[in-house]
Amino acid sequence: MGRTVNVVGTGNFNADGSSRRNIIRRFVHEDMHVTLRREQHDIYTVAVYVSAPRFYGLLGTTLKQIGYLKASTSRSIASKMDTREILTGRVGSYYTPTGKDHPRVFLVLEY
């Protein structure tokens, strides 16, 4: 069973100053695996990360945050994460127009 969800906060900056918009434009592609992580400050907040190469891949990869799941869906997803029902998450589609500050990213979560 699958579910399509929207990633929000894609136009914001991460704590290290990196632009989520630039991360999406450089590294995100369709069918790419994503990592979902619960946030420490709110147990129902689910952050979305993608794997990005470090120094052209010579130093392996690192996880970069591209946003959060919408609040309306993150509560149910968080409870499924607790019971380990969600098996995989991947990028279903994305849209990164040149003049826009907030790219659109849609994920397909399968459980």
Side-chain angles (χ1 to χ4, degrees), residues 36-40 42-47 78-79 81-82:
L36 303 176
R37 286 190 179 167
R38 302 275 290 274
E39 289 290 300
Q40 298 290 334
D42 181 3
I43 61 171
Y44 296 115
T45 301
V46 179
S79 65
M81 289 174 72
D82 288 341

Side-chain angles (χ1 to χ4, degrees), residues 14-68:
N14 291 325
D16 64 358
S18 61
S19 168
R20 294 178 188 166
R21 174 183 59 235
N22 291 339
I23 293 168
I24 293 167
R25 286 189 177 135
R26 288 182 63 197
F27 302 115
V28 170
H29 55 84
E30 287 188 22
D31 290 328
M32 176 182 207
H33 174 76
V34 296
T35 300
L36 303 176
R37 286 190 179 167
R38 302 275 290 274
E39 289 290 300
Q40 298 290 334
H41 60 84
D42 181 3
I43 61 171
Y44 296 115
T45 301
V46 179
V48 180
Y49 293 85
V50 295
S51 181
R54 294 175 57 205
F55 197 67
Y56 303 103
L58 296 173
L59 300 176
T61 60
T62 185
L63 291 177
K64 299 277 189 178
Q65 184 178 1
I66 61 168
Y68 295 96

Side-chain angles (χ1 to χ4, degrees), residues 88-105:
T88 60
R90 62 179 175 81
V91 175
S93 65
Y94 67 100
Y95 178 62
T96 58
T98 309
K100 300 277 185 176
D101 289 337
H102 298 277
R104 293 187 191 125
V105 180

